[in-house]
Amino acid sequence: EARPNVVGSHIVVAEAAFSVRVMRRSLVRCKVDPAMIVQKRLPWQVRKHQLRQQLWKEEDEDEQRDEQTKTPGIVVEIAQAARKRKRDPQLWTNLLDQALSSHAELTPQDMASVLSSMAQARFQHNALLDEFVRSLSYRSNVKAMVTAMLAVDKLGLPTDALRAPFLQQLSGQCDELSFGDLRRILMALARCWQAASVDAEVMDELCNAIVDKSRDCDPRDLVTVPQHLGRLRHLHVPLLSASANAVATLVASRLTVLPLDALRAMDGLLLLTPLLAAAPEAQVKLGELARKCGLLAAALLRHCSPEELWRAGAQLAGAEVAERQVWEVWAHEVLGRRDSESGRSHSAVSIRKRILRQWGLLEPPTGLDSALRMYLRPA
């Protein structure tokens, strides 16, 4: 019998496989570019949804592009002037005029950085404000928008022109944002709470998304959430429960936490306690947790150097904390370090003067002023 030509059959199979691969590559190369395909005009609702999805993409891509793109020189100059606390009006006018003239070349993050530096220097350039706010209202990402909102609020100006379109775009898109972005948005809304109330449905959507994405997170990531909810006077039970549990974990554990964070948690819990009038048991538990936060903050402040102690006070003032009980913790530690020869009342007056001078304030925060007045009374 004639044996089959095994070698020949192998060669035939190999040639066939090679031909298939070549054909596949040819098909790939001949693929029509999707950009060349003329599509029918999509309905507005579909295009609107696509645009909103594109706007709320994860910021990883934006950050990668920012790293690849060098920050413009004028933005760096303005940031340096703010950092060095330069107050020359003519210098700031010249710098901001240059930024305005080149605004078309600036990214949203560049514009937000300029606004932040301007707020830090307490200098207003109305033309630049109008143009940057207009640009950011229709092209921005979460990080840039939050920075811009905080800067405009710090200048004492209304944030409606930024906040209204921002919240409109935010509606229905919270699930697509990262945990960090959601916390930034909540923080910004809480800092600008005096401007106008936030729609309850948007707030619930934002809070629900934070709860969903906070599972198994570091408890320290939620420590300031009670303060945000308290300022917004928004009682979202699932988020309050999650953040209160996180604060309780910090109090009971040995996780490293800053005195400022413990004090801000205490401030938030005190703000939320009156909102739980319909639930007396929960109200008592929240008040007890606030008391424990105060004890933790007092213990942490005792280990601070004088510079760290005063820095914590300045940060409390910068965070616009107004609760008297929170300031009592800080004032008690500061007055406890007074010279043994100086009286309590004299020390309180000296501390008040130093606060106004060192923190650049016309008046101390309301809660701090009340706490210091307690020490002015006869012992």
Side-chain angles (χ1 to χ4, degrees):
E1 295 181 8
R3 294 182 179 179
N5 188 352
V6 177
V7 175
S9 62
H10 280 309
I11 294 173
V12 171
V13 171
E15 289 178 349
F18 177 77
S19 300
V20 169
R21 284 199 298 269
V22 170
M23 287 177 65
R24 285 177 181 171
R25 288 178 185 173
S26 300
L27 288 173
V28 171
R29 286 172 185 166
C30 295
K31 229 179 196 181
V32 179
D33 186 356
M36 301 296 293
I37 299 176
V38 180
Q39 298 180 348
K40 292 183 179 180
R41 185 179 180 85
L42 295 172
W44 163 239
Q45 290 298 329
V46 176
R47 288 186 290 115
K48 181 180 178 182
H49 180 68
Q50 291 177 347
L51 289 171
R52 291 170 76 179
Q53 284 185 328
Q54 183 178 0
L55 176 66
W56 295 108
K57 280 182 180 178
E58 294 292 339
E59 285 190 359
D60 294 341
E61 298 177 3
D62 294 336
E63 290 175 357
Q64 290 175 1
R65 282 196 295 269
D66 290 342
E67 290 175 358
Q68 296 172 358
T69 305
K70 188 177 179 181
T71 304
I74 185 60
V75 178
V76 175
E77 285 186 53
I78 292 173
Q80 290 175 345
R83 200 175 302 118
K84 294 176 181 177
R85 298 184 178 181
K86 294 185 178 181
R87 294 290 185 265
D88 182 8
Q90 188 59 48
L91 170 67
W92 276 100
T93 300
N94 293 339
L95 288 174
L96 296 174
D97 281 343
Q98 293 179 50
L100 179 59
S101 64
S102 60
H103 78 276
E105 304 170 7
L106 303 181
T107 66
Q109 193 58 47
D110 291 334
M111 289 187 278
S113 176
V114 170
L115 291 175
S116 182
S117 299
M118 191 166 65
Q120 189 177 345
R122 303 286 182 180
F123 187 86
Q124 291 188 27
H125 190 293
N126 294 330
L128 180 139
L129 272 167
D130 292 341
E131 182 58 38
F132 279 22
V133 167
R134 185 189 65 80
S135 297
L136 287 169
S137 64
Y138 67 85
R139 67 177 187 102
S140 182
N141 53 40
V142 172
K143 186 176 180 181
M145 184 62 81
V146 167
T147 303
M149 285 174 61
L150 294 177
V152 173
D153 181 70
K154 189 174 182 179
L155 286 168
L157 301 173
T159 59
D160 293 345
L162 286 171
R163 197 172 67 153
F166 179 65
L167 291 177
Q168 187 177 6
Q169 294 163 356
L170 179 65
S171 179
Q173 301 298 316
C174 289
D175 288 338
E176 299 183 20
L177 298 178
S178 68
F179 181 48
D181 285 341
L182 294 169
R183 288 188 296 130
R184 288 189 192 102
I185 294 170
L186 184 64
M187 178 268 295
L189 295 177
R191 288 295 297 270
C192 307
W193 67 274
Q194 292 179 333
S197 59
V198 183
D199 182 72
E201 291 185 4
V202 176
M203 278 301 305
D204 285 338
E205 181 187 344
L206 176 62
C207 293
N208 287 332
I210 294 176
V211 172
D212 291 340
K213 298 190 179 184
S214 67
R215 306 187 193 284
D216 301 323
C217 73
D218 190 318
R220 288 168 289 197
D221 291 338
L222 295 175
V223 71
T224 58
V225 168
Q227 188 183 51
H228 304 331
L229 293 176
R231 288 183 173 178
L232 291 164
R233 300 188 64 79
H234 186 77
L235 188 60
H236 189 275
V237 176
L239 184 54
L240 172 58
S241 177
S243 57
N245 288 336
V247 172
T249 300
L250 286 176
V251 171
S253 69
R254 294 188 177 183
L255 289 172
T256 304
V257 62
L258 297 174
L260 176 66
D261 289 338
L263 291 169
R264 290 183 66 183
M266 179 185 180
D267 181 53
L269 295 170
L270 291 173
L271 289 171
L272 286 168
T273 300
L275 302 181
L276 292 170
E281 292 184 6
Q283 199 173 36
V284 170
K285 289 182 180 179
L286 218 59
E288 179 62 19
L289 185 56
R291 186 186 69 83
K292 291 180 180 179
C293 286
L295 294 175
L296 174 62
L300 294 170
L301 289 173
R302 280 195 293 271
H303 294 90
C304 289
S305 66
E307 293 77 14
E308 291 171 339
L309 179 61
W310 278 88
R311 190 182 305 119
Q315 290 170 334
L316 271 181
E320 299 178 355
V321 173
E323 287 291 318
R324 177 180 56 82
Q325 296 177 56
V326 177
W327 280 110
E328 282 177 0
V329 177
W330 183 83
H332 179 76
E333 180 59 31
V334 173
L335 286 164
R337 301 188 184 191
R338 70 181 187 276
D339 188 356
S340 58
E341 297 181 358
S342 61
R344 186 177 70 168
S345 179
H346 180 267
S347 297
V349 173
S350 301
I351 288 171
R352 192 178 189 278
K353 290 180 179 178
R354 179 178 175 180
I355 287 169
L356 299 180
R357 181 181 67 255
Q358 185 169 320
W359 297 352
L361 303 175
L362 298 176
E363 290 292 334
T366 306
L368 176 56
D369 202 30
S370 300
L372 291 175
R373 288 183 187 279
M374 292 177 56
Y375 292 96
L376 294 175
R377 300 169 187 168

